[in-house]
Amino acid sequence: MDGLIAAIRRGESRALVLRGEAGIGKTALLQYLIESASDVTIVRAAGIESEMELAYAGLHQLCASLLDRLEMLPEPQRQALETVFGLSCGAAPDPFLVGLAVLSLLSDVADERPLLCVVDDAQWLDQVSALTLSFVARRLLADPVAIVFAAREPGEGLQHLSELEVNGLTDADARALLGWSLQLKLDDRVRDRIIAETHGNPLALLELPRRLTPAELASGLGFVDAHHLPERVQQSFVRRLDGLSDDARRMLLLAAAEPVGDLLLLLRASEQLGIAISVIDTEAETDGLLAVGERVTFRHPLVRSAVYRSAGAQERRAVHLALAQATDRDVDPDRRAWHLAAAAAGPDEGVARELEQSAGRAQARGGLTAAAALLERAVALSADPARRTERALTAVGASLNAGMFAPARRLLTVAQAGPLDELGRARLELLQGMAAYAERRGSDAPPLLLRAAQALEPLDPRLARETYLDAWVAALFAGQLATAGDLYDVSREARRAPSAEPTRPSDLLLDGFALLLTDGRAAATPVLQHAATGFAGDGVTVEEVLRWGWLATVGAVVVWDYESCVAIASREVELAREHGALTVLAVALNILAQALAMGGEFGRAAQLISEADAVREATGTHVLQYGALYLAAFSGREAEVLTLSEATVREGIQGGQGTAVQYTWLATAVALNGSGRYREAVAPARDASNTMPELVVAGWALTELIEAGVRSGETELAHSALERLAERNRYIATDWGCGVEARSRALLAEGQSAECLYREAVERLGRTPLRPELARAHLLYGEWLRRENRRLDAREQLGAAHNQFMAIGMEAFAERARMELLATGQKLRKWTAQTRDDLTAHERQIAQLACDGLSNPEIGARLFLSPRTVEWHLRKVFGKLGIHRRRDLADALSGYDSELRPA
C-alpha cells in the first residue's frame, strides 16, 4: 500500500485488486491506504449486492464529487457521462465511450494532484460500472492515478489486473488479536484450535467468540469445522440481533434494504413502519452494528447481508414497500420501482409497468445490462400472459444487446411457452437467430434467420428484407462450414421476397448478392454497382452504413469498384468514431486497412490495424485479424502469416466461420508466390478459389492460382482459373479488372501476344490507385523479357517493379525482383535496415496522428488513452527520432520511412 501511494506521488499509475475471503481484512487495508494518503485526492465507491441491477450506480458513487469538471471533457465524452448520470437526455452512448470519458475525467483531476480511487466489495458492483472501471484501470499508464479494488472473488473484468491476495494473520498475530478481544484466559489447546479453525481471519477471530459462553470458550466445545467460515461469521452477527429490540432489528433491516445509506430517506421510511427514531441515535441500540454519519453504514458488509438474509420474506417486503413509499417518484423513479418489485408478493401488473419504464430509462443511459435485468424482473411480475410474452421478447433483445446470452436463452423459453400471434412467432424466430449469431458467428445462425425472414414476409416486408440480409451475412461467415441455410439457400429465398418501397441501398445490396448466386453476374453486376455507389454517396442512412457498410465494400470489390470500396470503408470508420460505435469500429478499421493496403498504402494500413487492435483490446470485441493477415501476406512476412493463419483457422473452425479459413488460404498463397515458391502456393490458391467462387476472396485467389500454376507447370489448372477470372469481366470493363485479367492472360501467352498483354496490364493498372497490382505487372513483364533474352528491356521493367515494391513495403516481391535484376547482369546490393531503436507500431501510430495535427486529447480519444499517456508516448517517440518538437515530426517520419536503402 505504501509503495502504491509512493508511485502516484512520483507521477506513475497503478491498478490493484485486493482479493480475499470475507472478513480477511481487505476493508482495513483500504482504510489504511486512505489514511496514509492525506495529500492526494480520494474518491470512493462500494459495491452493494442489492444495487447490482442499477446501471452505473457504482460509477456514480465514485464520480459524483467530480461532475463539476465535465465541461473540461471533449464534447462526445461529456455528453456520454451526462447521459449515463441522467444529467441530460440523448442516445445511449457506447459503454466504452463512457469508459474513455471516465479515464479523461480522472486524468483531468490528477493534473492538480495525485488521485486515489478506492472501490470496496467490487464483486457487488453493477456490471456496467465494473466493466467501465476495469477498462479505465487497464488504460492507465502515465497518470498519477491509482485504482484499488477489493473483492472476494474478482469478476471477469478484473482478471487481468495486478492482484494481491490477502491471507489470514500469522499464528502469532492471531493469538495477539484474540487475546486483545477476549477478557478471558483460554486454555492453550482451545486457543490454538480457534486460531487453526479461523485460519487467521481477523473478523472471525473478533466475532465468533462473542456468540459463545465462557464455558464453551473454556472447553472449546463451541467450535466446529470451519469450512464455511463467512457463513459462520454471518451467523455470529445474526445471533447478536437476537438481543436487540424489535425496533432496532427493523431499523437494521431497513438500512440493509436501502443501498445508498440516505439518512433522511431511512427516517421517512421508518415513520411509515412506526419505528421509534431513538433507535438510530445511539450505537448501543444497534449493538454497534450500524454507524450514523453523513451516510448510514454497517460495520462490515457481512452485517448487511446477515441482517437481510436472516429476515423473513414478509418482513423484507414490508421494508421495501416503506422505502418505495418514502422515495420520490420524480427524483428517483428507478429505485422506487426496484423497491416496489422487491415488495411484490406475486405478479403485479402495475409494478411490471414501472420496471418496464425503468428499463427504458436505463437503456437510454447506456445501461444495457441493467435494462435487461429490469425487464427480466418485469417478466416475472407480469400478471397478463400476453404482456409477459411481449416483455419476454423485448427482454431477449435487451439481453442480446448486453451480451447476456444465458438470460436471453431463459427468456426465449418463457416467450416460447406464452401465447404468440403470427408476428410474435416470427419475432421469436428472429430473436433465436440473432442469439445464435451473436453468441458465435457460425453455422447455427443462418437457418434460424432464414426461417425468421420467411415468417416475417407477410407481416413486415421491410423487416423481412433486413432479416434476409442478416441471414446472408451469417451464411457468408459460415462459408463452407454451413450445414443448412448456406448462401445459395438464403439467396434463393431472398429473390422470392417482396420488394420494399422506397428502395434503399441496403435493399439493392440484398438484391445484388442474391442475384449473384442465383442468376449470375450479368443480372447482379448493375444492381451491385448501384448498391456500391449508393453506400458511397449521401443517400444512405447512418444506421445502414454502421450495420452493413462493410458488406457494401464486398459488393464494390465484386464489381471492381475500388474508389467506392475506399469511400464506403472510410465513411464507416468516420461514423463509427463519431457515434462511439466501437464494435463496428473494430470491423470497419480492418476493412479500411485492407482497402488501403490494396492501394499500396501499407503505412496507413498498419496504423489502422494498430488502432483496431487498441479497440479490440479496450472493448474485448472479437474480430478476426483479417487486416493484419492481408498486410503480412503482401509484405512477405511468412512467419507472421503462419502465426496469424494458425490462430485464425483455430478460431474460425471453433466458431463455425468458414470464410476465415478461406482467407488464410489466400494469404498463404500470396506469401508463397511472393517468395517464388510456386509449387507450394498451388494448393492453398486452389482451395481459396474453389470456396464460394462468386465472391471476393475466391476472385483474388484466382490470380494467385494462375501465377502459381504457370510457374509450376500446371498450365491446365491455370487455363481453367483464367476462364473463371475472365467471366468476372464479361459484364463490366474497368481498368482494375481488365488490367488484372491482361496480366494473368499474358502468363499463358507467347511471343508478341504476351508482350501486348503485359503492356495492356501496365497501362490499365497504371491508371488505377492499385500500386501493388501495377508493381506485380512490371515484375511479371520483366521476368518474361529476361527469359526472352531482352536484358535491357527487362531491367527497365524489373527496376520499376523493385522500386515500387520497396516504396510500398512488399519485401518478398522486392527480393524476387532484385534476384531477377541480378540475373540480367545489373549490380544491385541487398537492402538492409540501419541499426537503431525502432518505433513500435503503437508509437508510430501516435506519432503519425500527432503529425496529422491531432491534439493529445484527440489522439487519446482515438486510441483510448489519457492525454497524459499520449504525451508520455510522444516523449519516447521524440527520443527515438532525435527531435524535440511536434513540428519536426513530418520530416523525421519521412526520413524514418525511407530508411531502407542499398547497403
Side-chain angles (χ1 to χ4, degrees):
M1 298 298 100
D2 290 339
L4 184 142
I5 293 298
I8 63 172
R9 285 173 178 147
R10 292 193 303 268
E12 301 171 9
S13 299
R14 290 290 185 273
L16 180 67
V17 179
L18 298 176
R19 179 171 66 85
E21 66 183 21
I24 203 68
K26 303 184 298 296
T27 302
L29 283 171
L30 293 181
Q31 191 58 38
Y32 169 83
L33 189 64
I34 290 166
E35 291 171 357
S36 63
S38 57
D39 59 331
V40 308
T41 302
I42 299 172
V43 291
R44 306 176 65 172
I48 299 170
E49 191 172 11
S50 58
E51 271 204 325
M52 292 179 71
E53 293 180 1
L54 293 178
Y56 292 109
L59 193 65
H60 198 282
Q61 284 186 58
L62 193 76
C63 297
S65 63
L66 311 178
L67 296 184
D68 59 336
R69 294 176 172 268
L70 290 183
E71 293 297 330
M72 306 296 292
L73 300 182
E75 181 69 14
Q77 297 178 30
R78 180 181 61 78
Q79 287 181 347
L81 284 189
E82 287 181 346
T83 301
V84 301
F85 290 148
L87 302 176
S88 66
C89 297
D94 188 290
F96 297 101
L97 182 61
V98 176
L100 180 59
V102 174
L103 177 64
S104 298
L105 183 65
L106 300 186
S107 178
D108 183 66
V109 172
D111 274 342
E112 295 182 1
R113 62 177 186 166
L115 174 65
L116 171 65
C117 306
V118 175
V119 184
D120 204 356
D121 283 317
Q123 74 276 358
W124 287 336
L125 283 174
D126 60 282
Q127 187 178 20
V128 71
S129 289
L131 289 172
T132 301
L133 291 175
S134 62
F135 167 89
V136 172
R138 291 195 307 272
R139 307 308 291 177
L140 289 170
L141 182 60
D143 298 271
V145 177
I147 303 183
V148 184
F149 303 90
R152 298 180 190 177
E153 284 297 332
E156 184 179 350
L158 304 182
Q159 292 295 327
H160 303 293
L161 300 178
S162 296
E163 189 177 279
L164 174 64
E165 184 174 4
V166 183
N167 296 305
L169 302 176
T170 64
D171 286 355
D173 287 335
R175 282 193 292 271
L177 179 61
L178 192 61
W180 172 83
S181 64
L182 289 177
Q183 305 300 317
L184 179 68
K185 174 68 174 174
L186 289 179
D187 179 273
D188 286 349
R189 288 172 300 175
V190 172
R191 181 198 60 199
D192 290 344
R193 184 181 179 192
I194 292 172
I195 291 170
E197 291 190 348
T198 58
H199 299 287
N201 184 296
L203 187 64
L205 287 165
L206 291 171
E207 289 300 326
L208 290 181
R210 294 185 59 156
R211 69 178 177 84
L212 303 179
T213 65
E216 288 173 322
L217 276 171
S219 65
L221 296 176
F223 281 86
V224 292
D225 184 65
H227 287 314
H228 303 291
L229 192 56
E231 289 84 351
R232 290 180 58 196
V233 175
Q234 286 194 76
Q235 285 301 313
S236 74
F237 287 129
V238 170
R239 288 184 175 84
R240 289 172 65 177
L241 299 176
D242 294 339
L244 303 180
S245 67
D246 288 344
D247 278 357
R249 284 200 303 274
R250 286 200 296 164
M251 178 56 81
L252 283 166
L253 180 57
L254 194 65
E258 200 295 294
V260 178
D262 184 333
L263 177 58
L264 294 178
L265 178 62
L266 284 173
L267 292 177
R268 289 198 301 271
S270 67
E271 288 179 10
Q272 298 277 349
L273 295 171
I275 299 174
I277 299 299
S278 59
V279 301
I280 210 167
D281 290 341
T282 170
E283 288 192 13
E285 289 287 335
T286 56
D287 195 20
L289 297 175
L290 199 66
V292 179
E294 292 182 7
R295 295 172 61 196
V296 178
T297 57
F298 284 91
R299 177 187 173 190
H300 191 277
L302 284 179
V303 179
R304 179 190 290 275
S305 57
V307 169
Y308 192 79
R309 293 176 182 178
S310 65
Q314 188 172 348
E315 293 175 298
R316 291 200 295 266
R317 287 197 297 271
V319 298
H320 279 296
L321 181 60
L323 286 164
Q325 292 168 341
T327 301
D328 191 309
R329 181 193 295 267
D330 297 324
V331 174
D332 202 348
D334 297 332
R335 238 183 217 104
R336 180 179 179 278
W338 181 83
H339 283 304
L340 285 173
D348 187 317
E349 192 60 33
V351 176
R353 274 196 303 273
E354 292 210 29
L355 286 171
E356 205 169 15
Q357 292 165 359
S358 284
R361 287 188 292 269
Q363 191 155 351
R365 293 194 299 271
L368 299 179
T369 305
L374 290 165
L375 284 169
E376 187 172 11
R377 180 66 174 144
V379 170
L381 291 178
S382 298
D384 177 68
R387 292 296 299 140
R388 184 192 307 116
T389 302
E390 174 63 28
R391 287 176 180 135
L393 291 172
T394 305
V396 172
S399 298
L400 291 177
N401 287 337
M404 299 166 60
F405 301 124
R409 286 193 295 270
R410 288 198 305 268
L411 289 160
L412 279 169
T413 303
V414 172
Q416 202 164 10
L420 288 166
D421 58 14
E422 196 174 358
L423 179 59
R425 284 191 295 274
R427 287 178 60 199
L428 177 64
E429 290 184 333
L430 174 58
L431 289 167
Q432 288 171 329
M434 290 172 59
Y437 182 68
E439 202 161 356
R440 61 178 220 146
R441 296 186 177 187
S443 55
D444 300 338
L448 293 170
L449 289 167
L450 182 56
R451 284 201 300 271
Q454 292 166 333
L456 284 165
E457 276 186 30
L459 306 169
D460 189 335
R462 187 163 291 285
L463 180 57
R465 291 184 66 79
E466 292 177 357
T467 307
Y468 274 122
L469 192 52
D470 287 336
W472 206 93
V473 169
L476 176 62
F477 275 106
Q480 75 271 24
L481 299 181
T483 54
D486 63 15
L487 280 172
Y488 300 97
D489 293 333
V490 177
S491 297
R492 281 191 293 268
E493 292 302 318
R495 289 288 296 122
R496 294 175 44 258
S499 59
E501 296 295 338
T503 302
R504 302 169 299 174
S506 56
D507 293 314
L508 292 171
L509 199 59
L510 174 63
D511 291 338
F513 279 127
L515 284 166
L516 183 64
L517 276 82
T518 57
D519 294 28
R521 288 185 177 273
T525 295
V527 182
L528 285 174
Q529 283 178 302
H530 282 101
T533 55
F535 268 92
D538 298 327
V540 62
T541 66
V542 170
E543 181 188 3
E544 284 180 285
V545 174
L546 293 179
R547 188 171 176 182
W548 296 301
W550 71 270
L551 186 61
T553 65
V554 176
V557 175
V558 166
V559 294
W560 302 104
D561 186 352
Y562 179 72
E563 288 76 10
S564 289
C565 173
V566 174
I568 297 166
S570 299
R571 188 174 183 205
E572 187 171 21
V573 167
E574 179 185 344
L575 289 175
R577 284 178 182 148
E578 180 183 334
H579 290 267
L582 301 185
T583 302
V584 175
L585 181 59
V587 175
L589 287 166
N590 261 284
I591 297 292
L592 182 56
Q594 291 173 74
L596 293 178
M598 287 163 59
E601 298 185 58
F602 282 19
R604 285 185 64 196
Q607 183 179 332
L608 291 168
I609 291 167
S610 179
E611 183 178 348
D613 290 342
V615 176
R616 287 192 312 112
E617 179 197 346
T619 64
T621 302
H622 184 71
V623 177
L624 295 179
Q625 294 179 281
Y626 292 119
L629 193 54
Y630 186 98
L631 193 59
F634 279 89
S635 297
R637 300 192 295 268
E638 282 191 51
E640 188 176 342
V641 170
L642 178 62
T643 301
L644 286 169
S645 293
E646 288 175 349
T648 303
V649 169
R650 183 172 58 251
E651 293 180 48
I653 291 176
Q654 287 174 354
Q657 296 186 39
T659 298
V661 180
Q662 183 189 16
Y663 206 91
T664 63
W665 290 334
L666 169 65
T668 302
V670 170
L672 291 170
N673 272 341
S675 59
R677 292 156 62 188
Y678 307 112
R679 191 166 297 281
E680 294 174 61
V682 168
R686 181 178 55 228
D687 291 341
S689 66
N690 287 338
T691 304
M692 289 187 295
E694 295 83 0
L695 297 179
V696 170
V697 177
W700 288 338
L702 288 173
T703 64
E704 304 303 329
L705 181 57
I706 294 166
E707 184 171 340
V710 168
R711 292 298 167 82
S712 59
E714 298 195 36
T715 54
E716 186 175 337
L717 186 63
H719 275 293
S720 173
L722 179 60
E723 289 176 13
R724 291 164 57 194
L725 180 65
E727 195 272 336
R728 291 170 171 261
N729 287 323
R730 194 165 296 158
Y731 308 103
I732 181 172
T734 67
D735 281 327
W736 179 12
C738 294
V740 168
E741 182 186 344
R743 188 186 71 197
S744 300
R745 194 175 291 281
L747 280 164
L748 286 157
E750 296 179 355
Q752 188 63 32
S753 177
E755 182 154 23
C756 289
L757 287 167
Y758 279 126
R759 288 186 177 278
E760 179 187 351
V762 169
E763 182 181 350
R764 284 186 176 275
L765 293 171
R767 293 197 293 261
T768 75
L770 298 148
R771 292 191 297 152
E773 300 286 9
L774 173 62
R776 292 184 72 175
H778 282 297
L779 173 63
L780 292 175
Y781 187 17
E783 288 174 336
W784 179 83
L785 287 167
R786 188 183 71 79
R787 285 161 180 75
E788 293 290 312
N789 292 317
R790 293 166 58 182
R791 294 190 174 191
L792 291 178
D793 292 337
R795 286 177 188 174
E796 180 183 353
Q797 297 299 325
L798 292 170
H802 185 254
N803 291 338
Q804 289 171 22
F805 285 137
M806 290 309 303
I808 295 169
M810 298 173 68
E811 296 177 18
F813 283 99
E815 178 61 14
R816 192 172 126 192
R818 188 182 77 88
M819 296 303 293
E820 288 285 337
L821 279 166
L822 290 175
T824 68
Q826 181 166 332
K827 296 186 178 181
L828 189 73
R829 289 174 292 174
K830 191 171 182 177
W831 289 37
T832 60
Q834 292 180 4
T835 304
R836 60 170 297 155
D837 292 330
D838 288 333
L839 298 181
T840 65
H842 198 48
E843 290 167 348
R844 179 69 174 81
Q845 183 184 18
I846 289 172
Q848 187 59 58
L849 291 173
C851 185
D852 291 342
L854 275 69
S855 66
N856 286 359
E858 289 169 334
I859 297 172
R862 181 77 62 88
L863 303 180
F864 309 99
L865 303 171
S866 72
R868 188 189 293 260
T869 298
V870 173
E871 182 61 34
W872 180 78
H873 278 297
L874 281 174
R875 285 199 298 270
K876 292 178 66 179
V877 168
F878 288 176
K880 289 182 177 183
L881 295 179
I883 61 175
H884 303 284
R885 298 170 301 184
R886 279 183 181 237
R887 67 175 120 178
D888 298 329
L889 271 172
D891 290 339
L893 289 176
S894 175
Y896 183 86
D897 287 338
S898 61
E899 248 188 7
L900 290 177
R901 333 184 158 274

